[in-house]
Amino acid sequence: MTRRVRVGAAQLGPHQESSTPEEILARLLALLEQAIAERVQVLVYPELALTTYFPKRIRSDAARFFSTAMPAPMVAPLFERAREAGIAFHLGYAERTADGRQFNTAVYVDERGEVVGKYRKLHLPGLADGPSARPGAVYEPYYFAHGDTGFQAFQTTHAQVGIAICQDRRFPETYRALALDGAELVLIGYNTPAGPLAYEQNELVMRAGAYSNSVFVVGVAKAGTEDGVELIGGSCVIDPFGQVLARAATTADELVTTSVDVDQARAARERWNFLGRRHPGHYTSLTEPVRVPETKSRLR
Amino acid sequence: MTRRVRVGAAQLGPHQESSTPEEILARLLALLEQAIAERVQVLVYPELALTTYFPKRIRSDAARFFSTAMPAPMVAPLFERAREAGIAFHLGYAERTADGRQFNTAVYVDERGEVVGKYRKLHLPGLADGPSARPGAVYEPYYFAHGDTGFQAFQTTHAQVGIAICQDRRFPETYRALALDGAELVLIGYNTPAGPLAYEQNELVMRAGAYSNSVFVVGVAKAGTEDGVELIGGSCVIDPFGQVLARAATTADELVTTSVDVDQARAARERWNFLGRRHPGHYTSLTEPVRVPETKSRLR
């Protein structure tokens, strides 16, 4: 018996600051329609899918990029159409809570339209203060609190699903914590400025995370040039052996689909047993308080 | 200021069961002479460099593969010549302690001939009992106890040096624990049976370990066909950005040399601060006792 699931990585091209919510929704819906036509069961939109990557500069008008409820009014038609078509989806957005806290968040919405998983980004890149003259500086800790959800695997119809966001993927602890909680399919949206090796390192860490933890990884980019900042693409689906099964060819809106057998994650676990053959007694330094020299200006 | 160090990965071709200690020493010395000629400062021999990879089957004559003292008599000339030339080296071997415990061990011998670091392999692949009919089965836990040294960085003349061995490299905790202890240069010897993706996964995990922890990695194989078992090569030197700087072209005795600037590890740490921006409070599951379903026959 296999558990075949058709997954779709819904890479988004750039959202400009001048893009309207209506324009963005139309593009999300176009990718959804394509996914329906291609019989996708789990559709993965990237990090901050509803807005430009606004943490690229300090600004006073950021409130307009945050959503307080999900579904937010602007994506109600997306939720409705996905429910009608029986497609589950992952969506990243800027969340503002009722009590005013702000997070870089992603939700998993099942095929009945229910939000069955929510993750708030833990590892925030960039500066808490600013602006900085450093080229390529970003300011996530200025806008967001560090996530408080932890790394959880959500039981869904198709798989045990884990969520991480962008910079999280460069921390091996992310995949490990998700896998130890039972994740089989890890969804990772990102907005990653282009630069030397940025594309290669993106694929490197996701492939190694998949292999070392016997999980599938779906990595999905917001890509292309947003208001002068170039973001890498490279959206892809990776199997538990570290192989890229499918990969985006552009930095525009592009649906990357492939069928995966979720039971391969279980088979890989049984074959190598990387999780079971760990020696936690020798990893105690990993959970001790951070004690390496810190570069103060970069840390909250 | 930079800290330039010329490193050499001394890949070894196969040692057959019929290879004599004299034959093996002669090949180690030939690589050492080449390293001297190429002005190498740190020379890295692989795991179990003095013997065939004997854990590939259950046998009653294994005692002959173990060394009780280091330098063992068979490698005294190697220690002497390296000290004379002022070359530091890493050497993997099967260790038997005075009280009869057995480990898969590696030592770092500095340019004055002193053993300044010793590591005993923690993650042992294969079966504790046997023989098994499973193709490619190995039996390290049958021969060796799990290492008791932990992951330490050794202060040496050239760099803070960490050591891991073979299967350790597939566990992200290995690199993390070494980096948190201050390692800048991680030396990893291996004997890895060929198989689908074996070569690619070897490079994948070492590159990701280097990048995610801002360390250099020197991976060194025992390679080629030992008594019918084909081992991968792929010895390489990897920088803290995850790039392969130099790579072996053969599966025979081959010296791979390159010059590295150890300060790049520090610069990478300061630039991304992957160590300082961790959130250990969310990694607590990594140090909890192993609780995933275990495949009993494969675990000690």
Side-chain angles (χ1 to χ4, degrees), chain B residues 5-8 32 35-36 40-45 78-79 81-91 107-114 116 156-159 161 185 187:
Chain B
V5 181
R6 192 151 184 87
V7 298
L32 175 59
I36 293 168
V40 165
Q41 295 164 288
V42 178
L43 183 62
V44 187
Y45 294 105
L78 179 74
F79 275 64
R81 180 65 180 126
R83 189 191 58 75
E84 179 184 275
I87 287 191
F89 66 98
H90 161 285
L91 182 70
V107 287
Y108 186 91
V109 183
D110 75 6
E111 66 280 4
R112 295 157 306 193
E114 300 295 320
V116 295
T156 77
T157 306
H158 302 296
V161 171
L185 176 63
L187 312 180

Side-chain angles (χ1 to χ4, degrees), chain B residues 210-279:
Chain B
Y211 169 63
S212 296
N213 295 281
S214 300
V215 295
F216 287 90
V217 170
V218 182
V220 187
K222 181 130 61 63
T225 303
E226 287 194 338
D227 302 305
V229 174
E230 185 188 353
L231 304 173
I232 64 166
S235 301
C236 59
V237 180
I238 302 166
D239 75 11
F241 314 102
Q243 298 182 105
V244 175
L245 300 178
R247 185 192 282 120
T250 74
T251 53
D253 290 2
E254 179 177 350
L255 182 68
V256 177
T257 64
T258 190
S259 179
V260 302
D261 175 4
V262 177
D263 279 337
Q264 282 190 341
R266 191 170 303 178
R269 253 164 231 201
E270 289 179 1
R271 173 66 182 81
W272 288 288
N273 202 7
F274 289 147
L275 298 180
R277 303 192 78 160
R278 299 166 65 253
H279 290 268

